[in-house]
Amino acid sequence: MTSKIVVVGISGPSSSGKTTLARLLRTVFNSKQKSNVDVRAILVHEDDFYKADDRIPVTTTSAGKLVQDWDTIEAFDVKHFVSCLSYIRQTGKFLPRLKSKEDLNDATDSGVDEATVHALQERVAQRLQQRSSSQEQKLEEQTPWLTIVFVDGFLLYAPPNESTHPLRPVHDQIDLPIFLPVTYPLLKQRREGRTGYVTIGPAPTPVLRETENAEGGSENEQTEDKNGEDDPPVNFWTDPPGYVDDIVWPRYISNCSWLLLPETASSANMDLVKMKDLIGDGANVREDLGIFVAPEKGEASMPHLLSWAVDLIFKKIEEVISMEK
């Protein structure tokens, strides 16, 4: 019997709680200390696949200022990201030499007390114990019975039936796509309350690139960034004034318009002003497109979200086991 691997996507806009939830889930499912079931839970941050600082696209705000656009898909090394996910799905292990910068960022209070986490660990351990003991065959020594891969990122999913969408190769690696919505007022409050973010690579001087090649990089960019290979310098990004309204919110509703617009509306040829009007504060998210949308429109407490996500993951584990019988 081969080890089972379940890939769980946790997506949503900036400040929706996705990284906090992903870290909590990793803790809850790394519950071997609670039982003799060998389960591995690992966490992959999409933010670790940003291009180097001096390769981040630059855009002009409505006020005429040049700023880096960290919220566009062109800011990511998507090929490297997909390669990493594919490798993990095949092996249950990280790509060699992959280094994470995400844990260098300040971790906020999760809002979940230790007693709740421990209770969920016990619950998870008991259910996994029941499931693993029902399997007749044994795995090779040191091979976990189950590996759960949590993928945290704000650009993970592609619209249904769009095979050429740039995020389709990412989406296709994910077994359980979870989405945490957040309204505009809450996003703005949380994002503007942050100190900033750790970034990697040579510090840039914002300059518009007039020519872009088909791969989404400049003509002089001949190789993709390789996370962790050359120990690039660490920098720190702080949002300039107005960044939420100039970049973060417009990019979110544009990137996720297929989830946020009413079923009767199409984003094709729709300008941003009309899109903003139709989407409003972003409280309404479609739930008929194969994405599991978190309850309470972004207002749910983290303990509620954690319990909800644990139940979803167990349903997916049951499906995977049933398919292999």
Side-chain angles (χ1 to χ4, degrees):
M1 182 178 72
T2 58
S3 177
K4 298 171 180 61
I5 296 178
V6 176
V7 181
V8 180
I10 303 174
S11 192
S14 173
S15 306
S16 59
K18 55 190 178 294
T19 302
T20 300
L21 178 61
R23 286 172 172 161
L24 285 166
L25 287 168
R26 177 181 58 182
T27 298
V28 167
F29 278 89
N30 268 329
S31 54
K32 187 177 180 181
Q33 68 275 16
K34 300 290 183 179
S35 73
N36 60 2
V37 180
D38 193 359
V39 175
R40 176 188 297 150
I42 59 180
L43 175 55
V44 180
H45 300 287
E46 183 182 37
D47 283 7
D48 286 330
F49 297 88
Y50 269 117
K51 295 176 181 177
D53 286 19
D54 60 346
R55 296 295 184 186
I56 300 300
V58 173
T59 189
T60 305
T61 68
S62 57
K65 295 182 179 180
L66 293 179
V67 296
Q68 287 181 295
D69 185 352
W70 293 87
D71 290 62
T72 175
I73 192 171
E74 284 76 20
F76 288 97
D77 186 343
V78 177
K79 288 183 179 179
H80 190 203
F81 187 29
V82 173
S83 176
C84 176
L85 295 179
S86 178
Y87 182 88
I88 292 173
R89 177 174 281 285
Q90 293 174 23
T91 67
K93 301 176 182 178
F94 279 109
L95 269 173
R97 304 179 70 178
L98 177 65
K99 296 181 181 179
S100 176
K101 66 172 180 60
E102 184 59 28
D103 289 335
L104 298 176
N105 287 312
D106 292 337
T108 58
D109 180 8
S110 71
V112 182
D113 58 43
E114 288 189 12
T116 299
V117 172
H118 290 161
L120 282 171
Q121 284 181 319
E122 294 283 359
R123 175 175 145 203
V124 164
Q126 290 174 7
R127 293 184 67 175
L128 290 175
Q129 180 70 51
Q130 293 170 357
R131 260 302 165 192
S132 66
S133 61
S134 68
Q135 307 299 305
E136 296 179 355
Q137 295 173 289
K138 292 185 178 180
L139 295 168
E140 295 179 6
E141 189 176 356
Q142 297 183 342
T143 300
W145 169 71
L146 173 69
T147 298
I148 305 176
V149 184
F150 297 105
V151 184
D152 150 41
F154 72 96
L155 288 174
L156 298 182
Y157 309 140
N161 305 318
E162 288 196 21
S163 60
T164 60
H165 191 280
L167 289 175
R168 175 53 56 193
V170 177
H171 193 151
D172 286 347
Q173 296 287 339
I174 295 171
D175 300 306
L176 178 61
I178 292 174
F179 188 83
L180 309 184
V182 67
T183 60
Y184 166 77
L186 192 55
L187 182 154
K188 186 176 177 69
Q189 174 191 346
R190 290 175 177 174
R191 176 77 182 225
E192 293 183 347
R194 291 184 173 179
T195 56
Y197 303 85
V198 172
T199 63
I200 297 293
T205 300
V207 176
L208 279 177
R209 297 176 187 170
E210 296 181 356
T211 56
E212 299 286 329
N213 63 24
E215 298 298 326
S218 69
E219 290 182 338
N220 294 326
E221 185 179 352
Q222 298 178 353
T223 60
E224 296 179 1
D225 300 302
K226 301 300 181 183
N227 186 320
E229 289 191 1
D230 298 315
D231 292 327
V234 174
N235 300 306
F236 193 77
W237 164 266
T238 302
D239 288 346
Y243 197 74
V244 169
D245 293 303
D246 287 332
I247 303 295
V248 178
W249 184 255
R251 279 295 187 192
Y252 166 52
I253 63 173
S254 177
N255 291 331
C256 297
S257 60
W258 57 281
L259 275 173
L260 299 171
L261 285 170
E263 185 177 358
T264 55
S266 171
S267 61
N269 301 317
M270 183 182 294
D271 62 46
L272 185 60
V273 174
K274 185 175 181 180
M275 190 178 293
K276 284 182 177 179
D277 183 58
L278 288 173
I279 291 173
D281 67 359
N284 297 314
V285 182
R286 291 182 61 178
E287 300 185 33
D288 59 341
L289 298 173
I291 307 296
F292 293 87
V293 180
E296 299 184 26
K297 301 180 179 180
E299 300 291 339
S301 67
M302 189 54 68
H304 185 186
L305 286 177
L306 181 58
S307 180
W308 169 80
V310 166
D311 287 339
L312 272 182
I313 292 165
F314 266 114
K315 289 180 182 178
K316 177 54 66 174
I317 292 172
E318 295 285 348
E319 288 179 18
V320 170
I321 292 173
S322 297
M323 289 173 62
E324 293 187 357
K325 287 183 178 179

